[in-house]
Amino acid sequence: MNPTIDFHSGVNQGVAPVTYGQGDRPPRGDYSQARADYTCEQDWAAYSAADHELYRRLHERQSAQLQGLACEEFISAVAQLGAPDRIPRFEELSERLHRATGWEVVAVPGLIPEEAFFKLLAERRFPVTGWLRRPEEFDYVVEPDVFHDLFGHVPLLFNPVFADYMQAYGAGGLKASRLEACEYLARLYWYTVEFGLIATPAGLRAYGAGILSSAGELRHSVLSPEPQRIGFDLERIMRTRYKIDSFQTTYFVIDSFSQLFDATAPDFTPIYRRVAQAGVLEADSHLATDRPR
Ligand code: PHE
Ligand code: FE
C-alpha cells in the first residue's frame, strides 16, 4: 500500500490528492463497509479455495527468487507472514508484528486517500488491501492487492529501523499535506519503500515492496545493466519523476536503513522549498553530481 498517484507491474500503487485509483477510474474494492479511517474487516471467510491457491502460487514464485536478490532483513522475515499456502489472517499476523515492532496490519478496501494513509502509518497501522488479484492477473495487476501489500511491505515492518522510518514517513506525510508538498514526499516513498535498493557486503539487494512483489522487476532491478543506480540523495529523489507502467529506469541505493532514517530525520520544510526551486527531473535523467553505484 502506498500514497501516490499510480501503480504498475503488479506491484506499485498510489493514492492521488483528489481522485485516486488510476485516472478517472474509481478504485477497485468495496468501500461501502469501510469506517471513517478507511479500515474495514478482512472477512477472511470470504476468500475462496481458488483465492488461497492463487496466493500460494504467487508466494511460491516470489519466494523462489529471493536468494541473492532480496536483502537479508526481508528474507528472514518472510516466514513471519504465516503459512505460505493461504492468505494470512490479518489478526494473527498483527499479533506477531506487534510483538516485534509495535506495528499492526489493518484491512482496507483498496487504495485510500493519502491523508488517511499517512494517518494510519503515523499510528503504526499498515493498511493492507483485502482483495486478491484474479488468476489472469498473475503477472500484472494495476492496483495493489493483498499479495503486494502483504508480501511486499510487511516483512520489513518486522525490522525495527525500517518500522520507525515508516511511522516517520506517515507523520511527515501529514505535514507535507499542510505544506502542499505531497508530490515530493510521494517520490521519496516510490524510490525507497517501493523501489529501493540497498548496498550490502554481498552486493546490491532489493528492499522495495514494488520490486519484491514483482515477478520480473526483482532480477531486473538488481542484475540488469540497463537501469541507472544512484547513491541515495534526498533532494535528487524528490525532484525525480518515476515510471508507473514499466520497470524503473533509475533506482536509488541506500547503504543501510539507518542511513535512510537519519537522512530523512531533518525538518523537510526548507528542503521542500529548495526542491521546488531546483525543478523537476525526468525519470531517466543523469546529473554530474549523481554517485553511480
Ligand atoms: N523529517 C520529515 C519532515 O520533517 C518527515 C519524514 C521522515 C518524511 C521520514 C519522510 C520520511 O517532514
Ligand atoms: Fe506498495
Side-chain angles (χ1 to χ4, degrees), residues 197-198 204-205 217-232 236 248-253 286 290-293:
L197 296 179
I198 183 166
L204 274 188
R205 297 290 184 267
E217 190 151 0
L218 184 49
R219 299 197 78 75
H220 175 85
S221 67
V222 176
L223 301 176
S224 169
E226 281 168 36
Q228 55 172 351
R229 301 180 184 84
I230 306 175
F232 180 86
R236 168 73 157 95
Q248 302 304 304
T249 51
T250 300
Y251 297 95
F252 288 90
V253 183
H286 307 265
D290 290 343
R291 288 180 296 123
R293 298 299 305 259

Side-chain angles (χ1 to χ4, degrees), residues 7-13 28 47-48 50-59 61-62 87 129-152 209-210 212-216:
F7 205 68
H8 89 148
S9 56
V11 278
N12 327 335
Q13 71 255 42
R28 193 156 144 190
Y47 295 123
S48 67
D51 290 333
H52 291 299
E53 172 58 14
L54 181 58
Y55 181 91
R56 186 196 67 73
R57 289 202 296 131
L58 287 162
H59 192 294
R61 174 176 63 181
Q62 282 316 106
I87 299 168
T129 301
W131 58 264
L132 180 69
R133 68 193 70 185
R134 294 182 286 260
E136 61 271 26
E137 294 168 313
F138 191 61
D139 293 326
Y140 179 97
V141 60
V142 179
E143 289 175 31
D145 71 338
V146 61
F147 180 74
H148 165 78
D149 285 344
L150 279 183
F151 190 92
L212 289 160
S213 66
S214 164

Side-chain angles (χ1 to χ4, degrees), residues 1 31 42 83-84 110 117 152 157 214 224 270 283:
M1 180 51 63
Y31 289 75
Q42 182 189 18
F117 178 78
L157 291 174
S214 164
S224 169

Side-chain angles (χ1 to χ4, degrees), residues 137-202:
E137 294 168 313
F138 191 61
D139 293 326
Y140 179 97
V141 60
V142 179
E143 289 175 31
D145 71 338
V146 61
F147 180 74
H148 165 78
D149 285 344
L150 279 183
F151 190 92
H153 286 283
V154 175
L156 278 187
L157 291 174
F158 281 87
N159 177 271
V161 180
F162 192 83
D164 286 349
Y165 172 67
M166 290 294 281
Q167 177 181 20
Y169 181 89
L174 294 171
K175 185 165 114 188
S177 307
R178 295 194 297 274
L179 297 171
E180 292 183 19
C182 286
E183 192 187 5
Y184 307 134
L185 203 62
R187 292 186 186 132
L188 175 63
Y189 194 92
W190 192 269
Y191 284 117
T192 62
V193 178
E194 294 292 347
F195 291 94
L197 296 179
I198 183 166
T200 78

Side-chain angles (χ1 to χ4, degrees), residues 214-277:
S214 164
E217 190 151 0
L218 184 49
R219 299 197 78 75
H220 175 85
S221 67
V222 176
L223 301 176
S224 169
E226 281 168 36
Q228 55 172 351
R229 301 180 184 84
I230 306 175
F232 180 86
D233 175 338
L234 181 63
E235 296 186 29
R236 168 73 157 95
I237 288 176
M238 287 188 179
R239 296 174 61 193
T240 308
R241 291 206 167 100
Y242 49 79
K243 301 279 183 185
I244 63 164
D245 52 6
S246 66
F247 292 162
Q248 302 304 304
T249 51
T250 300
Y251 297 95
F252 288 90
V253 183
I254 61 171
D255 294 318
S256 65
F257 294 126
S258 310
Q259 177 205 21
L260 177 60
F261 185 85
D262 294 344
T264 52
D267 180 8
F268 281 5
T269 312
I271 298 178
Y272 291 144
R273 271 200 299 269
R274 276 205 298 277
V275 167
Q277 285 285 317

